PDB file of all heavy atoms in Angstrom:
ATOM      1  N   PRO A  13     -78.166-120.221 -40.284  1.00 98.00           N
ATOM      2  CA  PRO A  13     -78.979-121.249 -40.951  1.00 98.00           C
ATOM      3  C   PRO A  13     -80.228-121.619 -40.155  1.00 98.00           C
ATOM      4  O   PRO A  13     -80.847-122.640 -40.432  1.00 98.00           O
ATOM      5  CB  PRO A  13     -78.013-122.428 -41.016  1.00 98.00           C
ATOM      6  CG  PRO A  13     -77.165-122.265 -39.800  1.00 98.00           C
ATOM      7  CD  PRO A  13     -77.052-120.781 -39.527  1.00 98.00           C
ATOM      8  N   GLY A  14     -80.574-120.822 -39.161  1.00 98.00           N
ATOM      9  CA  GLY A  14     -81.644-121.168 -38.216  1.00 98.00           C
ATOM     10  C   GLY A  14     -81.041-121.294 -36.840  1.00 98.00           C
ATOM     11  O   GLY A  14     -79.849-121.026 -36.639  1.00 98.00           O
ATOM     12  N   ARG A  15     -81.876-121.723 -35.887  1.00 98.00           N
ATOM     13  CA  ARG A  15     -81.471-121.733 -34.478  1.00 98.00           C
ATOM     14  C   ARG A  15     -80.116-122.399 -34.223  1.00 98.00           C
ATOM     15  O   ARG A  15     -79.880-123.495 -34.715  1.00 98.00           O
ATOM     16  CB  ARG A  15     -82.555-122.448 -33.674  1.00 98.00           C
ATOM     17  CG  ARG A  15     -82.358-122.355 -32.190  1.00 98.00           C
ATOM     18  CD  ARG A  15     -83.577-122.855 -31.455  1.00 98.00           C
ATOM     19  NE  ARG A  15     -84.611-121.829 -31.341  1.00 98.00           N
ATOM     20  CZ  ARG A  15     -85.808-122.038 -30.794  1.00 98.00           C
ATOM     21  NH1 ARG A  15     -86.142-123.236 -30.343  1.00 98.00           N
ATOM     22  NH2 ARG A  15     -86.674-121.054 -30.709  1.00 98.00           N
ATOM     23  N   GLY A  16     -79.309-121.737 -33.432  1.00 98.00           N
ATOM     24  CA  GLY A  16     -78.012-122.296 -33.054  1.00 98.00           C
ATOM     25  C   GLY A  16     -76.928-121.243 -33.095  1.00 98.00           C
ATOM     26  O   GLY A  16     -77.170-120.083 -33.414  1.00 98.00           O
ATOM     27  N   LEU A  17     -75.710-121.680 -32.752  1.00 98.00           N
ATOM     28  CA  LEU A  17     -74.571-120.773 -32.618  1.00 98.00           C
ATOM     29  C   LEU A  17     -73.715-120.754 -33.875  1.00 98.00           C
ATOM     30  O   LEU A  17     -73.341-121.814 -34.395  1.00 98.00           O
ATOM     31  CB  LEU A  17     -73.738-121.204 -31.412  1.00 98.00           C
ATOM     32  CG  LEU A  17     -74.427-120.982 -30.052  1.00 98.00           C
ATOM     33  CD1 LEU A  17     -74.041-122.059 -29.054  1.00 98.00           C
ATOM     34  CD2 LEU A  17     -74.089-119.605 -29.498  1.00 98.00           C
ATOM     35  N   VAL A  18     -73.418-119.557 -34.354  1.00 98.00           N
ATOM     36  CA  VAL A  18     -72.559-119.376 -35.527  1.00 98.00           C
ATOM     37  C   VAL A  18     -71.295-118.655 -35.076  1.00 98.00           C
ATOM     38  O   VAL A  18     -71.366-117.526 -34.580  1.00 98.00           O
ATOM     39  CB  VAL A  18     -73.278-118.526 -36.597  1.00 98.00           C
ATOM     40  CG1 VAL A  18     -72.346-118.242 -37.771  1.00 98.00           C
ATOM     41  CG2 VAL A  18     -74.566-119.195 -37.057  1.00 98.00           C
ATOM     42  N   GLU A  19     -70.149-119.287 -35.241  1.00 98.00           N
ATOM     43  CA  GLU A  19     -68.909-118.654 -34.767  1.00 98.00           C
ATOM     44  C   GLU A  19     -68.483-117.515 -35.685  1.00 98.00           C
ATOM     45  O   GLU A  19     -68.514-117.642 -36.906  1.00 98.00           O
ATOM     46  CB  GLU A  19     -67.776-119.688 -34.656  1.00 98.00           C
ATOM     47  CG  GLU A  19     -66.536-119.040 -34.033  1.00 98.00           C
ATOM     48  CD  GLU A  19     -65.529-120.026 -33.456  1.00 98.00           C
ATOM     49  OE1 GLU A  19     -65.625-121.228 -33.744  1.00 98.00           O
ATOM     50  OE2 GLU A  19     -64.646-119.566 -32.695  1.00 98.00           O
ATOM     51  N   ILE A  20     -68.097-116.392 -35.055  1.00 98.00           N
ATOM     52  CA  ILE A  20     -67.644-115.226 -35.821  1.00 98.00           C
ATOM     53  C   ILE A  20     -66.249-114.765 -35.381  1.00 98.00           C
ATOM     54  O   ILE A  20     -65.816-113.671 -35.750  1.00 98.00           O
ATOM     55  CB  ILE A  20     -68.646-114.053 -35.718  1.00 98.00           C
ATOM     56  CG1 ILE A  20     -68.851-113.620 -34.257  1.00 98.00           C
ATOM     57  CG2 ILE A  20     -69.985-114.418 -36.349  1.00 98.00           C
ATOM     58  CD1 ILE A  20     -69.642-112.322 -34.106  1.00 98.00           C
ATOM     59  N   THR A  21     -65.555-115.593 -34.603  1.00 98.00           N
ATOM     60  CA  THR A  21     -64.233-115.194 -34.111  1.00 98.00           C
ATOM     61  C   THR A  21     -63.305-114.823 -35.265  1.00 98.00           C
ATOM     62  O   THR A  21     -62.599-113.793 -35.194  1.00 98.00           O
ATOM     63  CB  THR A  21     -63.581-116.332 -33.290  1.00 98.00           C
ATOM     64  OG1 THR A  21     -64.566-116.893 -32.408  1.00 98.00           O
ATOM     65  CG2 THR A  21     -62.410-115.811 -32.471  1.00 98.00           C
ATOM     66  N   GLY A  22     -63.307-115.628 -36.324  1.00 98.00           N
ATOM     67  CA  GLY A  22     -62.401-115.408 -37.446  1.00 98.00           C
ATOM     68  C   GLY A  22     -62.567-114.034 -38.086  1.00 98.00           C
ATOM     69  O   GLY A  22     -61.630-113.230 -38.094  1.00 98.00           O
ATOM     70  N   PRO A  23     -63.761-113.730 -38.629  1.00 98.00           N
ATOM     71  CA  PRO A  23     -63.930-112.419 -39.262  1.00 98.00           C
ATOM     72  C   PRO A  23     -63.741-111.237 -38.315  1.00 98.00           C
ATOM     73  O   PRO A  23     -63.248-110.190 -38.735  1.00 98.00           O
ATOM     74  CB  PRO A  23     -65.370-112.474 -39.810  1.00 98.00           C
ATOM     75  CG  PRO A  23     -66.001-113.688 -39.215  1.00 98.00           C
ATOM     76  CD  PRO A  23     -64.907-114.616 -38.861  1.00 98.00           C
ATOM     77  N   VAL A  24     -64.088-111.415 -37.054  1.00 98.00           N
ATOM     78  CA  VAL A  24     -63.915-110.318 -36.089  1.00 98.00           C
ATOM     79  C   VAL A  24     -62.418-110.067 -35.850  1.00 98.00           C
ATOM     80  O   VAL A  24     -61.958-108.915 -35.871  1.00 98.00           O
ATOM     81  CB  VAL A  24     -64.635-110.627 -34.753  1.00 98.00           C
ATOM     82  CG1 VAL A  24     -64.279-109.591 -33.689  1.00 98.00           C
ATOM     83  CG2 VAL A  24     -66.142-110.683 -34.964  1.00 98.00           C
ATOM     84  N   ALA A  25     -61.650-111.145 -35.670  1.00 98.00           N
ATOM     85  CA  ALA A  25     -60.210-111.003 -35.445  1.00 98.00           C
ATOM     86  C   ALA A  25     -59.527-110.410 -36.679  1.00 98.00           C
ATOM     87  O   ALA A  25     -58.639-109.552 -36.575  1.00 98.00           O
ATOM     88  CB  ALA A  25     -59.596-112.359 -35.095  1.00 98.00           C
ATOM     89  N   GLN A  26     -59.978-110.844 -37.841  1.00 98.00           N
ATOM     90  CA  GLN A  26     -59.387-110.362 -39.096  1.00 98.00           C
ATOM     91  C   GLN A  26     -59.621-108.857 -39.273  1.00 98.00           C
ATOM     92  O   GLN A  26     -58.705-108.107 -39.616  1.00 98.00           O
ATOM     93  CB  GLN A  26     -60.016-111.126 -40.258  1.00 98.00           C
ATOM     94  CG  GLN A  26     -59.347-110.883 -41.595  1.00 98.00           C
ATOM     95  CD  GLN A  26     -59.911-111.776 -42.692  1.00 98.00           C
ATOM     96  OE1 GLN A  26     -60.949-112.425 -42.495  1.00 98.00           O
ATOM     97  NE2 GLN A  26     -59.254-111.813 -43.839  1.00 98.00           N
ATOM     98  N   TRP A  27     -60.852-108.419 -38.998  1.00 98.00           N
ATOM     99  CA  TRP A  27     -61.147-106.983 -39.117  1.00 98.00           C
ATOM    100  C   TRP A  27     -60.327-106.194 -38.106  1.00 98.00           C
ATOM    101  O   TRP A  27     -59.795-105.116 -38.438  1.00 98.00           O
ATOM    102  CB  TRP A  27     -62.652-106.725 -38.914  1.00 98.00           C
ATOM    103  CG  TRP A  27     -62.956-105.258 -38.917  1.00 98.00           C
ATOM    104  CD1 TRP A  27     -63.099-104.447 -40.012  1.00 98.00           C
ATOM    105  CD2 TRP A  27     -63.105-104.414 -37.771  1.00 98.00           C
ATOM    106  NE1 TRP A  27     -63.328-103.155 -39.615  1.00 98.00           N
ATOM    107  CE2 TRP A  27     -63.340-103.105 -38.245  1.00 98.00           C
ATOM    108  CE3 TRP A  27     -63.060-104.636 -36.391  1.00 98.00           C
ATOM    109  CZ2 TRP A  27     -63.537-102.014 -37.387  1.00 98.00           C
ATOM    110  CZ3 TRP A  27     -63.251-103.564 -35.530  1.00 98.00           C
ATOM    111  CH2 TRP A  27     -63.492-102.270 -36.029  1.00 98.00           C
TER     112      TRP A  27
END
Side-chain angles (χ1 to χ4, degrees):
Chain A
R15 188 170 277 177
L17 291 147
V18 175
E19 185 161 14
I20 59 170
T21 316
V24 171
Q26 189 174 12
W27 175 81

